[in-house]
Amino acid sequence: MSSGATDPVLVLGGGVAGLAAALRLSQAGHEVVVLEAGPTPGGVVGTVAVDGYLHERAASSFLGSADDGAAALCDELGVAVQAAAPAARSRWIYLDGALRRLPRNPLELVTTDLLTWRGKLDLVREPLRPGRDPAHAGDESIHAFAARRLGPEVARAIVAPFVTGIFAADAHAVSLAAGFPKLAALDADGGLVRGALRQGLRRLAGVTASSPRRRHPRGLLAPVGGMQAMVTAMAERLGPSLRCGVTARALVASGDGVEVVTDTGRVRGRGVVLALPARATAELVAGADPVLAARLTGFQRAPAAVLYLGYPATAVPRAADGFGLLVAQGEAARLLGVVFESTVWPGRAPAGHVLLRCIYGGARDPGAVGLDDDALVAAARADLARTLGVSAAPTHVELIRWPAGIAQYPVGHRERVAELDGRVRASRMVLAGADYHGVGLNDVIADARRVVREVAGWRA
């Protein structure tokens, strides 16, 4: 018996990518069934309250600048969002053994000790640099791009730490085109300043009186009460279409559709959205498409550990100023970065206390995730003493480990994904999630529109 047009679209994975894809498919008129192995939806994203502290298990915020991202989805779902506190405007980088403020305006750029005068001159010369030679216009690392357009000091002192903050990786190993497509587009338009001017003029020319007005604020945002509010709202909107506690074991072709073999039986669909980590997807499709499975096993994720530490506010006075800090590569601290969580989002710690979110591991230091709990807390105490001058013992500790944490985008990633997207299309499959078209919440939520377009193509 072959699958017919009345069968649902199956979505494997009830994380944010799968939930967003299912919502958009449902809105486009498709019947959907979401299968999630865990007891609750959300995947790695979720919020936990412990001893008066509020912890995000993974992602904790998003930028409001994405028109089709998390802020727009929250607005659609009726989930209230809040902006980061004004006290979080400063950002710090630990470089050459000292904590240094990231410049926020031209005056601070002149006086910053992050760069020498040569580095500052390299930075301001960016608009004068020639465009990239078309003969050498293939993908490159974000570090190579930054050194080419902004100078080697900016690449080391500013760009590389921020790449670590996103990918927990060495900037030499992260693709410009896949990891930072907006920068790649500016580069293709003549450079950062010239490209921004050209793109701004084109946008201005395209604005009409009927253009929709942005309803959500810009800047850094988070759902009131944490990310769990957004996950819960998506799950409630999907209703019985979402089935938790169902583990997919294998995927098999079935006439003009697919069947998913689960631990409770078989589920038939007219096609499937694979919103799981690439390596988990590889195990599912190994029998149906061994070549696809082999290619998916080549996708890498970096392990990460999120360590929450609570202190009396008087023990960490520097946490009152700024979003947090990033540690440049090569420093003595193993710490990748710290978010001053209760400064950015007031109310996430009991009165008179602060909550620090410390990140360890990543592709830069995967061995850190293998430390036992006591050793990781001890490393954090030593690193916080070095970077922030904290000598007190924490009064609150919570550790979350993600062995398959952060998707990695090496040079050439975009081309590899495009080839796989074409391969699975003929089999009524769509790849979705952080391994492919963007690692951030905004990316995986916006990618749901592409999923809808891919499914629409099955009708042809």
Side-chain angles (χ1 to χ4, degrees):
M1 180 178 179
S2 65
S3 178
T6 58
D7 288 326
V9 177
L10 305 180
V11 178
L12 303 189
V16 170
L19 295 175
L23 278 173
R24 297 306 181 208
L25 286 166
S26 179
Q27 291 168 349
H30 300 280
E31 181 185 354
V32 295
V33 171
V34 184
L35 304 180
E36 164 58 36
T40 57
V44 299
V45 175
T47 311
V48 180
V50 182
D51 299 333
Y53 293 90
L54 199 67
H55 301 157
E56 294 289 8
R57 292 176 54 75
S60 61
S61 60
F62 45 81
L63 289 172
S65 54
D67 288 329
D68 205 18
L73 178 61
C74 285
D75 185 64
E76 177 185 330
L77 296 170
V79 175
V81 300
Q82 61 180 333
R89 288 175 183 159
S90 294
R91 294 175 184 246
W92 301 87
I93 295 176
Y94 187 76
L95 176 72
D96 295 332
L99 199 61
R100 307 171 195 273
R101 189 194 300 270
L102 184 72
R104 297 171 296 181
N105 54 54
L107 178 60
E108 289 187 3
L109 177 61
V110 171
T111 60
T112 182
D113 59 354
L114 265 173
L115 304 170
T116 67
W117 278 107
R118 175 174 293 181
K120 295 170 187 177
L121 288 173
D122 272 345
L123 177 60
V124 299
R125 280 200 293 256
E126 191 277 334
L128 305 178
R129 298 183 191 276
R132 194 174 180 192
D133 183 352
H136 301 90
D139 195 11
E140 64 181 332
S141 74
I142 179 63
H143 189 281
F145 159 80
R148 173 170 58 82
R149 292 233 53 99
L150 303 171
E153 283 192 32
V154 173
R156 170 182 176 255
I158 297 176
V159 174
F162 274 89
V163 172
T164 295
I166 298 169
F167 288 95
D170 184 340
H172 292 84
V174 177
S175 160
L176 170 67
F180 301 89
K182 291 182 179 179
L183 292 181
L186 290 174
D187 190 36
D189 233 345
L192 298 182
V193 174
R194 286 183 291 173
L197 288 172
R198 289 170 179 169
Q199 291 183 13
L201 288 172
R202 287 197 293 270
R203 283 194 299 270
L204 187 63
V207 171
T208 66
S210 60
S211 296
R213 296 178 62 86
R214 181 187 301 275
R215 295 171 59 187
H216 51 270
R218 302 180 72 92
L220 194 66
L221 307 173
V224 174
M227 287 295 175
Q228 190 64 49
M230 184 179 72
V231 170
T232 299
M234 286 194 285
E236 290 176 349
R237 186 68 61 92
L238 287 168
S241 298
L242 172 62
R243 304 178 187 175
C244 292
V246 180
T247 302
R249 301 296 185 187
L251 188 70
V252 296
S254 177
D256 59 351
V258 297
E259 280 191 345
V260 176
V261 181
T262 77
D263 52 353
T264 59
R266 290 181 175 240
V267 183
R268 185 187 301 275
R270 47 189 297 264
V272 62
V273 178
L274 296 160
L276 298 166
R279 292 200 168 193
T281 299
E283 295 178 9
L284 284 177
V285 304
D289 191 337
V291 174
L292 173 63
R295 293 182 182 178
L296 288 171
T297 57
F299 284 72
Q300 300 293 321
R301 288 201 170 200
V306 181
L307 177 61
Y308 283 103
L309 299 176
Y311 293 88
T314 54
V316 198
R318 300 206 71 159
D321 181 16
F323 178 87
L325 68 94
L326 292 165
V327 178
Q329 194 157 359
E331 298 297 318
R334 297 190 73 168
L335 185 67
L336 300 181
V338 182
V339 178
F340 303 156
E341 197 79 3
S342 53
T343 299
V344 183
W345 313 110
R348 295 201 174 184
H353 290 73
V354 296
L355 181 63
L356 305 182
R357 173 186 167 106
C358 306
I359 312 298
Y360 280 86
R364 233 174 69 175
D365 186 16
V369 181
L371 296 173
D372 64 34
D373 292 4
D374 290 342
L376 198 51
V377 172
R381 290 192 61 186
D383 289 342
L384 292 176
R386 181 179 289 111
T387 58
L388 294 174
V390 180
S391 58
T395 56
H396 170 81
V397 176
E398 186 76 11
L399 176 60
I400 303 167
R401 298 177 190 268
W402 296 115
I406 304 169
Q408 301 296 291
Y409 285 11
V411 173
H413 175 86
R414 189 169 64 173
E415 290 74 17
R416 182 167 57 155
V417 170
E419 190 273 331
L420 290 183
D421 282 342
R423 181 181 183 88
V424 301
R425 190 173 293 127
S427 302
R428 291 178 175 255
M429 294 188 289
V430 186
L431 299 172
D435 284 293
Y436 309 111
H437 295 281
V439 299
L441 276 175
N442 280 336
D443 298 318
V444 298
I445 290 170
D447 191 50
R449 301 292 188 188
R450 179 193 62 87
V451 172
V452 173
R453 293 192 297 271
E454 290 283 353
V455 171
W458 296 346
R459 296 169 180 166

